Amino acid sequence: MPDGTAKPVSLRGVSFSYRGTEVLRGLDLELSEGQVCALVGDNGAGKSTIARLVVGELAPASGSVLLFGQNAQRFRNWALVGYVPQLPPEAVSRFPASVFELVDASQYASGRGLRARQRRERSLEALGRVGMDGYGRRLVRELSGGQLQRVRLACALVGDPRLLVLDEPANGLDKESREVFYRLVSQAHAERGMAVLLVTHDLAPLEQLGCQVVEVAGGLAHKSHGAALGVV
Amino acid sequence: MLGYVFMQRSLLVGVLLGIVIPLVGVTVVLKRLSMIGDALSHTSLAGVAGGMVAGVNPVAGAVTACLAGALCIEAIRRRFREQSELAVAIVMATGIGLAGVLSGFVPNASSFNSFMFGSILTVSPEETLSIVAISALALLLCALGHRELFLMSFDERHARAAGVPTDVANVAFVVVVALVVAVASRTVGSLIVSSMMVVPVACALQLARSWRQTCVIASLVGVLTTVLGLVVSFYAGLKPGGTIVLMAVALLLLVFLGKKLASLAR
């Protein structure tokens, strides 16, 4: 069981290689309750790899990755985590689901034991929080890029998680949509106080979010301005 | 037509497969594994030929080969996560190769051919029972696991993060697909079953406004075209398997045409 007092994210001495190329070596990183941390760096620096290690999608070659004190690979309490991974465009282009169906199904772990009516209320509330009320019956594939990312944020927030992991969530969005998206993240953090791990190569939202910045380069995490984590 | 017991049985089997094949087809198509039906049906042919050569029940051979093929697809898919369609192509190539080689040793070639294009009109009571059982199993899985199938069809990473045990769910799903393909290859034919898995779903994707509607419309199209195909083949003296698929393709073309006309009228 996850330790209720453990930090949401703790990486110690983590190394990872992709097809023989070392991406991370001996990386240490911790994220406490309520902290907002942005991982920045060049393409291929390993930012998304860190996010994928955190949610247990990838296993480290060495070192430990703990999610709420539990090995991320064996972590099961997904109600504690909201995750917006990068999404291939073809996943959406012909997917025949309504917005409401997607948010409802995303309560797979967090909505366990709830009645359909209760899940529905939570879905509507989550859509309202991201300004997408009234879009429930719309097909996911009919949304604009900005609207889709707001719906995906609603999917991640609907279970009221204690950790939100966002992997390049504003990729491909115009300036206005990016600002709206990050404002919603900022609001959600202010209201609920969850820890946020943001992977981005876009530096513009960092001030808006008031987050601590960790630059990933050379397989390591380096402190940047305001960073309280990123132990190297 | 309904006075014949063999037609009553064919219709029962046809309706069941018309519901179940497109229903599992929704997830197959949306997971971009449309070729999985082809791969498993060719693998089932290898199993049929192997069963005939070894002197065991060819349907048992088809089921065994399909299950082995399905598990291989899942194992290769995990090895090459970035190129999941590669797994299907490898198993299909192996299935075609094995079916081709083993068919040379089959003592009764006409019996083997019946598995290629199916023989829904000659389904025995025992085969009907096995189809009812496997259809019930597939329906149960789709009903109980609809949220898992929905999330995995959208994106496996999203599904995993939502808490779906994707590894277990994927194996369970391909096993059910394999069982459905194996029993359907005897009735509608190995070379036709993958069309029944894809074409009704293509129709549904044109019309549906939700995942639930997609599943319902795909199954309705499956049942409608199967029944129509059986009736037409009975009166016109055509082979039922091929007629069923042609009905589905004709309906898909009608849907395309209807949508085009509707958009012009707007």
Side-chain angles (χ1 to χ4, degrees), chain B residues 17-27 29 196-205 207-208 211-226 248 251:
Chain B
L17 293 177
I19 294 171
V20 168
I21 296 175
L23 198 55
V24 297
V26 171
T27 301
V29 168
M196 282 188 69
M197 202 170 269
V198 173
V199 182
V201 179
C203 279
L205 288 176
L207 303 170
W211 163 273
R212 186 173 294 199
Q213 281 183 20
T214 307
C215 294
V216 171
I217 294 173
S219 287
L220 283 176
V221 169
V223 170
L224 177 70
T225 53
T226 304
L251 190 61

PDB file of all heavy atoms in Angstrom, chain B residues 17-27 29 196-205 207-208 211-226 248 251:
ATOM      1  N   LEU B  17     -23.002 -14.815 -34.311  1.00  0.00           N
ATOM      2  CA  LEU B  17     -21.710 -14.330 -34.823  1.00  0.00           C
ATOM      3  C   LEU B  17     -21.840 -12.905 -35.359  1.00  0.00           C
ATOM      4  O   LEU B  17     -20.887 -12.120 -35.268  1.00  0.00           O
ATOM      5  CB  LEU B  17     -21.175 -15.266 -35.905  1.00  0.00           C
ATOM      6  CG  LEU B  17     -20.777 -16.664 -35.403  1.00  0.00           C
ATOM      7  CD1 LEU B  17     -20.319 -17.546 -36.561  1.00  0.00           C
ATOM      8  CD2 LEU B  17     -19.659 -16.575 -34.353  1.00  0.00           C
ATOM      9  N   GLY B  18     -23.016 -12.588 -35.877  1.00  0.00           N
ATOM     10  CA  GLY B  18     -23.248 -11.225 -36.369  1.00  0.00           C
ATOM     11  C   GLY B  18     -23.186 -10.197 -35.258  1.00  0.00           C
ATOM     12  O   GLY B  18     -22.826  -9.047 -35.473  1.00  0.00           O
ATOM     13  N   ILE B  19     -23.544 -10.626 -34.039  1.00  0.00           N
ATOM     14  CA  ILE B  19     -23.431  -9.722 -32.885  1.00  0.00           C
ATOM     15  C   ILE B  19     -21.985  -9.681 -32.376  1.00  0.00           C
ATOM     16  O   ILE B  19     -21.406  -8.619 -32.170  1.00  0.00           O
ATOM     17  CB  ILE B  19     -24.365 -10.194 -31.731  1.00  0.00           C
ATOM     18  CG1 ILE B  19     -25.831 -10.075 -32.146  1.00  0.00           C
ATOM     19  CG2 ILE B  19     -24.090  -9.397 -30.458  1.00  0.00           C
ATOM     20  CD1 ILE B  19     -26.795 -10.726 -31.158  1.00  0.00           C
ATOM     21  N   VAL B  20     -21.422 -10.886 -32.190  1.00  0.00           N
ATOM     22  CA  VAL B  20     -20.153 -10.987 -31.455  1.00  0.00           C
ATOM     23  C   VAL B  20     -18.947 -10.525 -32.272  1.00  0.00           C
ATOM     24  O   VAL B  20     -18.075  -9.806 -31.756  1.00  0.00           O
ATOM     25  CB  VAL B  20     -19.961 -12.448 -30.976  1.00  0.00           C
ATOM     26  CG1 VAL B  20     -18.542 -12.662 -30.482  1.00  0.00           C
ATOM     27  CG2 VAL B  20     -20.953 -12.743 -29.880  1.00  0.00           C
ATOM     28  N   ILE B  21     -18.880 -10.924 -33.542  1.00  0.00           N
ATOM     29  CA  ILE B  21     -17.667 -10.595 -34.327  1.00  0.00           C
ATOM     30  C   ILE B  21     -17.500  -9.073 -34.463  1.00  0.00           C
ATOM     31  O   ILE B  21     -16.422  -8.547 -34.185  1.00  0.00           O
ATOM     32  CB  ILE B  21     -17.683 -11.295 -35.704  1.00  0.00           C
ATOM     33  CG1 ILE B  21     -17.647 -12.810 -35.513  1.00  0.00           C
ATOM     34  CG2 ILE B  21     -16.480 -10.874 -36.544  1.00  0.00           C
ATOM     35  CD1 ILE B  21     -17.772 -13.609 -36.803  1.00  0.00           C
ATOM     36  N   PRO B  22     -18.529  -8.321 -34.862  1.00  0.00           N
ATOM     37  CA  PRO B  22     -18.328  -6.868 -34.925  1.00  0.00           C
ATOM     38  C   PRO B  22     -18.090  -6.233 -33.552  1.00  0.00           C
ATOM     39  O   PRO B  22     -17.378  -5.244 -33.443  1.00  0.00           O
ATOM     40  CB  PRO B  22     -19.639  -6.344 -35.531  1.00  0.00           C
ATOM     41  CG  PRO B  22     -20.240  -7.510 -36.219  1.00  0.00           C
ATOM     42  CD  PRO B  22     -19.857  -8.692 -35.380  1.00  0.00           C
ATOM     43  N   LEU B  23     -18.673  -6.836 -32.502  1.00  0.00           N
ATOM     44  CA  LEU B  23     -18.490  -6.274 -31.163  1.00  0.00           C
ATOM     45  C   LEU B  23     -17.013  -6.319 -30.751  1.00  0.00           C
ATOM     46  O   LEU B  23     -16.460  -5.323 -30.267  1.00  0.00           O
ATOM     47  CB  LEU B  23     -19.350  -7.056 -30.156  1.00  0.00           C
ATOM     48  CG  LEU B  23     -19.623  -6.394 -28.818  1.00  0.00           C
ATOM     49  CD1 LEU B  23     -20.246  -5.026 -28.991  1.00  0.00           C
ATOM     50  CD2 LEU B  23     -20.510  -7.276 -27.967  1.00  0.00           C
ATOM     51  N   VAL B  24     -16.362  -7.475 -30.944  1.00  0.00           N
ATOM     52  CA  VAL B  24     -14.920  -7.513 -30.642  1.00  0.00           C
ATOM     53  C   VAL B  24     -14.157  -6.710 -31.701  1.00  0.00           C
ATOM     54  O   VAL B  24     -13.091  -6.158 -31.439  1.00  0.00           O
ATOM     55  CB  VAL B  24     -14.356  -8.956 -30.536  1.00  0.00           C
ATOM     56  CG1 VAL B  24     -14.996  -9.693 -29.406  1.00  0.00           C
ATOM     57  CG2 VAL B  24     -14.479  -9.718 -31.827  1.00  0.00           C
ATOM     58  N   GLY B  25     -14.762  -6.609 -32.896  1.00  0.00           N
ATOM     59  CA  GLY B  25     -14.128  -5.844 -33.979  1.00  0.00           C
ATOM     60  C   GLY B  25     -13.980  -4.365 -33.655  1.00  0.00           C
ATOM     61  O   GLY B  25     -13.039  -3.720 -34.109  1.00  0.00           O
ATOM     62  N   VAL B  26     -14.898  -3.821 -32.834  1.00  0.00           N
ATOM     63  CA  VAL B  26     -14.808  -2.393 -32.477  1.00  0.00           C
ATOM     64  C   VAL B  26     -13.460  -2.110 -31.809  1.00  0.00           C
ATOM     65  O   VAL B  26     -12.729  -1.191 -32.192  1.00  0.00           O
ATOM     66  CB  VAL B  26     -15.974  -1.987 -31.532  1.00  0.00           C
ATOM     67  CG1 VAL B  26     -15.755  -0.584 -30.981  1.00  0.00           C
ATOM     68  CG2 VAL B  26     -17.300  -2.052 -32.277  1.00  0.00           C
ATOM     69  N   THR B  27     -13.117  -2.936 -30.830  1.00  0.00           N
ATOM     70  CA  THR B  27     -11.838  -2.733 -30.132  1.00  0.00           C
ATOM     71  C   THR B  27     -10.664  -3.030 -31.060  1.00  0.00           C
ATOM     72  O   THR B  27      -9.665  -2.315 -31.062  1.00  0.00           O
ATOM     73  CB  THR B  27     -11.781  -3.624 -28.875  1.00  0.00           C
ATOM     74  OG1 THR B  27     -12.875  -3.282 -28.044  1.00  0.00           O
ATOM     75  CG2 THR B  27     -10.494  -3.418 -28.110  1.00  0.00           C
ATOM     76  N   VAL B  29     -10.483  -2.712 -34.321  1.00  0.00           N
ATOM     77  CA  VAL B  29     -10.294  -1.623 -35.292  1.00  0.00           C
ATOM     78  C   VAL B  29      -9.718  -0.385 -34.600  1.00  0.00           C
ATOM     79  O   VAL B  29      -8.783   0.237 -35.099  1.00  0.00           O
ATOM     80  CB  VAL B  29     -11.636  -1.273 -35.982  1.00  0.00           C
ATOM     81  CG1 VAL B  29     -11.525   0.024 -36.772  1.00  0.00           C
ATOM     82  CG2 VAL B  29     -12.056  -2.414 -36.896  1.00  0.00           C
ATOM     83  N   MET B 196     -15.889  -9.592 -41.553  1.00  0.00           N
ATOM     84  CA  MET B 196     -17.027  -9.392 -40.634  1.00  0.00           C
ATOM     85  C   MET B 196     -16.605  -8.622 -39.392  1.00  0.00           C
ATOM     86  O   MET B 196     -17.430  -8.054 -38.683  1.00  0.00           O
ATOM     87  CB  MET B 196     -17.614 -10.740 -40.221  1.00  0.00           C
ATOM     88  CG  MET B 196     -18.504 -11.346 -41.286  1.00  0.00           C
ATOM     89  SD  MET B 196     -19.342 -12.796 -40.671  1.00  0.00           S
ATOM     90  CE  MET B 196     -20.483 -12.126 -39.485  1.00  0.00           C
ATOM     91  N   MET B 197     -15.297  -8.650 -39.108  1.00  0.00           N
ATOM     92  CA  MET B 197     -14.793  -7.957 -37.927  1.00  0.00           C
ATOM     93  C   MET B 197     -14.612  -6.466 -38.210  1.00  0.00           C
ATOM     94  O   MET B 197     -14.632  -5.647 -37.310  1.00  0.00           O
ATOM     95  CB  MET B 197     -13.445  -8.576 -37.545  1.00  0.00           C
ATOM     96  CG  MET B 197     -13.028  -8.368 -36.122  1.00  0.00           C
ATOM     97  SD  MET B 197     -11.600  -9.373 -35.738  1.00  0.00           S
ATOM     98  CE  MET B 197     -12.376 -10.848 -35.149  1.00  0.00           C
ATOM     99  N   VAL B 198     -14.415  -6.118 -39.475  1.00  0.00           N
ATOM    100  CA  VAL B 198     -14.034  -4.744 -39.811  1.00  0.00           C
ATOM    101  C   VAL B 198     -15.162  -3.952 -40.491  1.00  0.00           C
ATOM    102  O   VAL B 198     -15.422  -2.799 -40.127  1.00  0.00           O
ATOM    103  CB  VAL B 198     -12.768  -4.763 -40.710  1.00  0.00           C
ATOM    104  CG1 VAL B 198     -12.446  -3.373 -41.212  1.00  0.00           C
ATOM    105  CG2 VAL B 198     -11.578  -5.336 -39.942  1.00  0.00           C
ATOM    106  N   VAL B 199     -15.834  -4.569 -41.464  1.00  0.00           N
ATOM    107  CA  VAL B 199     -16.783  -3.793 -42.286  1.00  0.00           C
ATOM    108  C   VAL B 199     -17.962  -3.248 -41.465  1.00  0.00           C
ATOM    109  O   VAL B 199     -18.289  -2.053 -41.590  1.00  0.00           O
ATOM    110  CB  VAL B 199     -17.271  -4.627 -43.500  1.00  0.00           C
ATOM    111  CG1 VAL B 199     -18.219  -3.798 -44.365  1.00  0.00           C
ATOM    112  CG2 VAL B 199     -16.081  -5.073 -44.342  1.00  0.00           C
ATOM    113  N   PRO B 200     -18.619  -4.041 -40.603  1.00  0.00           N
ATOM    114  CA  PRO B 200     -19.704  -3.453 -39.800  1.00  0.00           C
ATOM    115  C   PRO B 200     -19.218  -2.318 -38.896  1.00  0.00           C
ATOM    116  O   PRO B 200     -19.950  -1.351 -38.656  1.00  0.00           O
ATOM    117  CB  PRO B 200     -20.214  -4.639 -38.957  1.00  0.00           C
ATOM    118  CG  PRO B 200     -19.828  -5.839 -39.738  1.00  0.00           C
ATOM    119  CD  PRO B 200     -18.520  -5.501 -40.369  1.00  0.00           C
ATOM    120  N   VAL B 201     -17.979  -2.440 -38.415  1.00  0.00           N
ATOM    121  CA  VAL B 201     -17.428  -1.375 -37.567  1.00  0.00           C
ATOM    122  C   VAL B 201     -17.218  -0.111 -38.402  1.00  0.00           C
ATOM    123  O   VAL B 201     -17.482   1.013 -37.931  1.00  0.00           O
ATOM    124  CB  VAL B 201     -16.104  -1.827 -36.906  1.00  0.00           C
ATOM    125  CG1 VAL B 201     -15.531  -0.718 -36.038  1.00  0.00           C
ATOM    126  CG2 VAL B 201     -16.325  -3.078 -36.072  1.00  0.00           C
ATOM    127  N   ALA B 202     -16.760  -0.299 -39.635  1.00  0.00           N
ATOM    128  CA  ALA B 202     -16.582   0.859 -40.526  1.00  0.00           C
ATOM    129  C   ALA B 202     -17.915   1.573 -40.733  1.00  0.00           C
ATOM    130  O   ALA B 202     -17.982   2.805 -40.729  1.00  0.00           O
ATOM    131  CB  ALA B 202     -15.992   0.409 -41.858  1.00  0.00           C
ATOM    132  N   CYS B 203     -18.990   0.790 -40.897  1.00  0.00           N
ATOM    133  CA  CYS B 203     -20.345   1.384 -41.017  1.00  0.00           C
ATOM    134  C   CYS B 203     -20.679   2.178 -39.758  1.00  0.00           C
ATOM    135  O   CYS B 203     -21.140   3.332 -39.829  1.00  0.00           O
ATOM    136  CB  CYS B 203     -21.402   0.287 -41.156  1.00  0.00           C
ATOM    137  SG  CYS B 203     -21.577  -0.363 -42.795  1.00  0.00           S
ATOM    138  N   ALA B 204     -20.458   1.545 -38.602  1.00  0.00           N
ATOM    139  CA  ALA B 204     -20.829   2.171 -37.326  1.00  0.00           C
ATOM    140  C   ALA B 204     -20.049   3.462 -37.105  1.00  0.00           C
ATOM    141  O   ALA B 204     -20.602   4.447 -36.601  1.00  0.00           O
ATOM    142  CB  ALA B 204     -20.582   1.196 -36.176  1.00  0.00           C
ATOM    143  N   LEU B 205     -18.775   3.461 -37.495  1.00  0.00           N
ATOM    144  CA  LEU B 205     -17.951   4.667 -37.280  1.00  0.00           C
ATOM    145  C   LEU B 205     -18.471   5.859 -38.084  1.00  0.00           C
ATOM    146  O   LEU B 205     -18.224   7.004 -37.737  1.00  0.00           O
ATOM    147  CB  LEU B 205     -16.492   4.384 -37.653  1.00  0.00           C
ATOM    148  CG  LEU B 205     -15.723   3.475 -36.678  1.00  0.00           C
ATOM    149  CD1 LEU B 205     -14.317   3.189 -37.197  1.00  0.00           C
ATOM    150  CD2 LEU B 205     -15.650   4.102 -35.297  1.00  0.00           C
ATOM    151  N   LEU B 207     -21.651   6.480 -38.472  1.00  0.00           N
ATOM    152  CA  LEU B 207     -22.962   6.907 -37.974  1.00  0.00           C
ATOM    153  C   LEU B 207     -22.998   7.255 -36.491  1.00  0.00           C
ATOM    154  O   LEU B 207     -23.807   8.082 -36.064  1.00  0.00           O
ATOM    155  CB  LEU B 207     -23.996   5.798 -38.229  1.00  0.00           C
ATOM    156  CG  LEU B 207     -24.154   5.367 -39.702  1.00  0.00           C
ATOM    157  CD1 LEU B 207     -25.007   4.106 -39.794  1.00  0.00           C
ATOM    158  CD2 LEU B 207     -24.781   6.484 -40.519  1.00  0.00           C
ATOM    159  N   ALA B 208     -22.134   6.621 -35.710  1.00  0.00           N
ATOM    160  CA  ALA B 208     -22.288   6.692 -34.251  1.00  0.00           C
ATOM    161  C   ALA B 208     -21.832   8.029 -33.692  1.00  0.00           C
ATOM    162  O   ALA B 208     -20.938   8.676 -34.229  1.00  0.00           O
ATOM    163  CB  ALA B 208     -21.490   5.567 -33.606  1.00  0.00           C
ATOM    164  N   TRP B 211     -19.256   5.872 -28.151  1.00  0.00           N
ATOM    165  CA  TRP B 211     -18.694   4.506 -28.142  1.00  0.00           C
ATOM    166  C   TRP B 211     -19.828   3.483 -28.042  1.00  0.00           C
ATOM    167  O   TRP B 211     -19.848   2.485 -28.754  1.00  0.00           O
ATOM    168  CB  TRP B 211     -17.749   4.380 -26.945  1.00  0.00           C
ATOM    169  CG  TRP B 211     -17.401   2.992 -26.542  1.00  0.00           C
ATOM    170  CD1 TRP B 211     -18.087   2.185 -25.682  1.00  0.00           C
ATOM    171  CD2 TRP B 211     -16.278   2.229 -27.002  1.00  0.00           C
ATOM    172  NE1 TRP B 211     -17.447   0.987 -25.566  1.00  0.00           N
ATOM    173  CE2 TRP B 211     -16.342   0.988 -26.355  1.00  0.00           C
ATOM    174  CE3 TRP B 211     -15.233   2.494 -27.877  1.00  0.00           C
ATOM    175  CZ2 TRP B 211     -15.388   0.005 -26.560  1.00  0.00           C
ATOM    176  CZ3 TRP B 211     -14.282   1.509 -28.077  1.00  0.00           C
ATOM    177  CH2 TRP B 211     -14.366   0.283 -27.431  1.00  0.00           C
ATOM    178  N   ARG B 212     -20.778   3.750 -27.149  1.00  0.00           N
ATOM    179  CA  ARG B 212     -21.889   2.813 -26.951  1.00  0.00           C
ATOM    180  C   ARG B 212     -22.656   2.627 -28.261  1.00  0.00           C
ATOM    181  O   ARG B 212     -22.968   1.503 -28.653  1.00  0.00           O
ATOM    182  CB  ARG B 212     -22.811   3.342 -25.850  1.00  0.00           C
ATOM    183  CG  ARG B 212     -23.908   2.391 -25.469  1.00  0.00           C
ATOM    184  CD  ARG B 212     -24.670   2.894 -24.286  1.00  0.00           C
ATOM    185  NE  ARG B 212     -23.830   2.922 -23.095  1.00  0.00           N
ATOM    186  CZ  ARG B 212     -24.296   2.961 -21.870  1.00  0.00           C
ATOM    187  NH1 ARG B 212     -25.583   2.978 -21.650  1.00  0.00           N
ATOM    188  NH2 ARG B 212     -23.490   2.983 -20.837  1.00  0.00           N
ATOM    189  N   GLN B 213     -22.940   3.745 -28.921  1.00  0.00           N
ATOM    190  CA  GLN B 213     -23.654   3.651 -30.209  1.00  0.00           C
ATOM    191  C   GLN B 213     -22.832   2.872 -31.233  1.00  0.00           C
ATOM    192  O   GLN B 213     -23.376   2.109 -32.027  1.00  0.00           O
ATOM    193  CB  GLN B 213     -23.920   5.050 -30.759  1.00  0.00           C
ATOM    194  CG  GLN B 213     -25.097   5.745 -30.114  1.00  0.00           C
ATOM    195  CD  GLN B 213     -25.355   7.109 -30.759  1.00  0.00           C
ATOM    196  OE1 GLN B 213     -24.933   7.388 -31.873  1.00  0.00           O
ATOM    197  NE2 GLN B 213     -26.044   7.966 -30.032  1.00  0.00           N
ATOM    198  N   THR B 214     -21.511   3.058 -31.221  1.00  0.00           N
ATOM    199  CA  THR B 214     -20.654   2.333 -32.163  1.00  0.00           C
ATOM    200  C   THR B 214     -20.810   0.829 -31.975  1.00  0.00           C
ATOM    201  O   THR B 214     -20.951   0.076 -32.958  1.00  0.00           O
ATOM    202  CB  THR B 214     -19.166   2.733 -31.956  1.00  0.00           C
ATOM    203  OG1 THR B 214     -19.068   4.142 -32.012  1.00  0.00           O
ATOM    204  CG2 THR B 214     -18.276   2.117 -33.014  1.00  0.00           C
ATOM    205  N   CYS B 215     -20.780   0.391 -30.710  1.00  0.00           N
ATOM    206  CA  CYS B 215     -20.916  -1.046 -30.432  1.00  0.00           C
ATOM    207  C   CYS B 215     -22.284  -1.558 -30.884  1.00  0.00           C
ATOM    208  O   CYS B 215     -22.388  -2.622 -31.519  1.00  0.00           O
ATOM    209  CB  CYS B 215     -20.723  -1.318 -28.941  1.00  0.00           C
ATOM    210  SG  CYS B 215     -19.064  -0.961 -28.370  1.00  0.00           S
ATOM    211  N   VAL B 216     -23.329  -0.801 -30.563  1.00  0.00           N
ATOM    212  CA  VAL B 216     -24.693  -1.253 -30.905  1.00  0.00           C
ATOM    213  C   VAL B 216     -24.881  -1.282 -32.428  1.00  0.00           C
ATOM    214  O   VAL B 216     -25.374  -2.276 -32.989  1.00  0.00           O
ATOM    215  CB  VAL B 216     -25.746  -0.329 -30.239  1.00  0.00           C
ATOM    216  CG1 VAL B 216     -27.138  -0.637 -30.758  1.00  0.00           C
ATOM    217  CG2 VAL B 216     -25.700  -0.483 -28.726  1.00  0.00           C
ATOM    218  N   ILE B 217     -24.467  -0.196 -33.099  1.00  0.00           N
ATOM    219  CA  ILE B 217     -24.671  -0.137 -34.555  1.00  0.00           C
ATOM    220  C   ILE B 217     -23.851  -1.216 -35.262  1.00  0.00           C
ATOM    221  O   ILE B 217     -24.334  -1.879 -36.190  1.00  0.00           O
ATOM    222  CB  ILE B 217     -24.322   1.267 -35.106  1.00  0.00           C
ATOM    223  CG1 ILE B 217     -25.303   2.304 -34.554  1.00  0.00           C
ATOM    224  CG2 ILE B 217     -24.351   1.283 -36.638  1.00  0.00           C
ATOM    225  CD1 ILE B 217     -24.953   3.750 -34.885  1.00  0.00           C
ATOM    226  N   ALA B 218     -22.596  -1.432 -34.827  1.00  0.00           N
ATOM    227  CA  ALA B 218     -21.754  -2.455 -35.458  1.00  0.00           C
ATOM    228  C   ALA B 218     -22.411  -3.829 -35.351  1.00  0.00           C
ATOM    229  O   ALA B 218     -22.471  -4.589 -36.329  1.00  0.00           O
ATOM    230  CB  ALA B 218     -20.363  -2.467 -34.825  1.00  0.00           C
ATOM    231  N   SER B 219     -22.957  -4.145 -34.177  1.00  0.00           N
ATOM    232  CA  SER B 219     -23.606  -5.449 -34.000  1.00  0.00           C
ATOM    233  C   SER B 219     -24.901  -5.544 -34.810  1.00  0.00           C
ATOM    234  O   SER B 219     -25.203  -6.592 -35.392  1.00  0.00           O
ATOM    235  CB  SER B 219     -23.898  -5.711 -32.521  1.00  0.00           C
ATOM    236  OG  SER B 219     -22.694  -5.986 -31.861  1.00  0.00           O
ATOM    237  N   LEU B 220     -25.658  -4.432 -34.845  1.00  0.00           N
ATOM    238  CA  LEU B 220     -26.895  -4.444 -35.650  1.00  0.00           C
ATOM    239  C   LEU B 220     -26.576  -4.667 -37.123  1.00  0.00           C
ATOM    240  O   LEU B 220     -27.253  -5.452 -37.815  1.00  0.00           O
ATOM    241  CB  LEU B 220     -27.646  -3.116 -35.483  1.00  0.00           C
ATOM    242  CG  LEU B 220     -28.424  -2.939 -34.181  1.00  0.00           C
ATOM    243  CD1 LEU B 220     -29.022  -1.537 -34.113  1.00  0.00           C
ATOM    244  CD2 LEU B 220     -29.528  -3.982 -34.069  1.00  0.00           C
ATOM    245  N   VAL B 221     -25.533  -3.984 -37.616  1.00  0.00           N
ATOM    246  CA  VAL B 221     -25.130  -4.164 -39.022  1.00  0.00           C
ATOM    247  C   VAL B 221     -24.680  -5.604 -39.241  1.00  0.00           C
ATOM    248  O   VAL B 221     -25.015  -6.230 -40.257  1.00  0.00           O
ATOM    249  CB  VAL B 221     -23.992  -3.172 -39.391  1.00  0.00           C
ATOM    250  CG1 VAL B 221     -23.372  -3.520 -40.738  1.00  0.00           C
ATOM    251  CG2 VAL B 221     -24.514  -1.748 -39.409  1.00  0.00           C
ATOM    252  N   GLY B 222     -23.956  -6.148 -38.266  1.00  0.00           N
ATOM    253  CA  GLY B 222     -23.506  -7.540 -38.360  1.00  0.00           C
ATOM    254  C   GLY B 222     -24.678  -8.502 -38.485  1.00  0.00           C
ATOM    255  O   GLY B 222     -24.698  -9.385 -39.352  1.00  0.00           O
ATOM    256  N   VAL B 223     -25.675  -8.318 -37.619  1.00  0.00           N
ATOM    257  CA  VAL B 223     -26.851  -9.210 -37.645  1.00  0.00           C
ATOM    258  C   VAL B 223     -27.629  -9.021 -38.948  1.00  0.00           C
ATOM    259  O   VAL B 223     -28.002  -9.996 -39.628  1.00  0.00           O
ATOM    260  CB  VAL B 223     -27.769  -8.924 -36.424  1.00  0.00           C
ATOM    261  CG1 VAL B 223     -29.089  -9.665 -36.565  1.00  0.00           C
ATOM    262  CG2 VAL B 223     -27.075  -9.327 -35.146  1.00  0.00           C
ATOM    263  N   LEU B 224     -27.860  -7.758 -39.307  1.00  0.00           N
ATOM    264  CA  LEU B 224     -28.660  -7.461 -40.504  1.00  0.00           C
ATOM    265  C   LEU B 224     -28.022  -8.070 -41.756  1.00  0.00           C
ATOM    266  O   LEU B 224     -28.689  -8.738 -42.554  1.00  0.00           O
ATOM    267  CB  LEU B 224     -28.788  -5.945 -40.660  1.00  0.00           C
ATOM    268  CG  LEU B 224     -29.538  -5.455 -41.892  1.00  0.00           C
ATOM    269  CD1 LEU B 224     -31.012  -5.785 -41.766  1.00  0.00           C
ATOM    270  CD2 LEU B 224     -29.370  -3.940 -42.074  1.00  0.00           C
ATOM    271  N   THR B 225     -26.721  -7.856 -41.910  1.00  0.00           N
ATOM    272  CA  THR B 225     -26.067  -8.337 -43.140  1.00  0.00           C
ATOM    273  C   THR B 225     -25.920  -9.857 -43.132  1.00  0.00           C
ATOM    274  O   THR B 225     -25.972 -10.490 -44.187  1.00  0.00           O
ATOM    275  CB  THR B 225     -24.691  -7.663 -43.329  1.00  0.00           C
ATOM    276  OG1 THR B 225     -23.916  -7.838 -42.159  1.00  0.00           O
ATOM    277  CG2 THR B 225     -24.835  -6.194 -43.622  1.00  0.00           C
ATOM    278  N   THR B 226     -25.777 -10.444 -41.949  1.00  0.00           N
ATOM    279  CA  THR B 226     -25.685 -11.914 -41.880  1.00  0.00           C
ATOM    280  C   THR B 226     -27.021 -12.545 -42.277  1.00  0.00           C
ATOM    281  O   THR B 226     -27.075 -13.477 -43.083  1.00  0.00           O
ATOM    282  CB  THR B 226     -25.287 -12.371 -40.466  1.00  0.00           C
ATOM    283  OG1 THR B 226     -24.078 -11.724 -40.112  1.00  0.00           O
ATOM    284  CG2 THR B 226     -25.069 -13.872 -40.418  1.00  0.00           C
ATOM    285  N   ALA B 248     -22.478  -6.736 -46.390  1.00  0.00           N
ATOM    286  CA  ALA B 248     -21.910  -5.725 -45.472  1.00  0.00           C
ATOM    287  C   ALA B 248     -21.216  -4.608 -46.257  1.00  0.00           C
ATOM    288  O   ALA B 248     -21.369  -3.430 -45.935  1.00  0.00           O
ATOM    289  CB  ALA B 248     -20.930  -6.396 -44.510  1.00  0.00           C
ATOM    290  N   LEU B 251     -23.797  -2.377 -47.802  1.00  0.00           N
ATOM    291  CA  LEU B 251     -24.383  -1.472 -46.805  1.00  0.00           C
ATOM    292  C   LEU B 251     -23.422  -0.327 -46.487  1.00  0.00           C
ATOM    293  O   LEU B 251     -23.838   0.836 -46.348  1.00  0.00           O
ATOM    294  CB  LEU B 251     -24.721  -2.257 -45.537  1.00  0.00           C
ATOM    295  CG  LEU B 251     -25.554  -1.512 -44.500  1.00  0.00           C
ATOM    296  CD1 LEU B 251     -26.899  -1.096 -45.061  1.00  0.00           C
ATOM    297  CD2 LEU B 251     -25.750  -2.348 -43.253  1.00  0.00           C
TER     298      LEU B 251
END
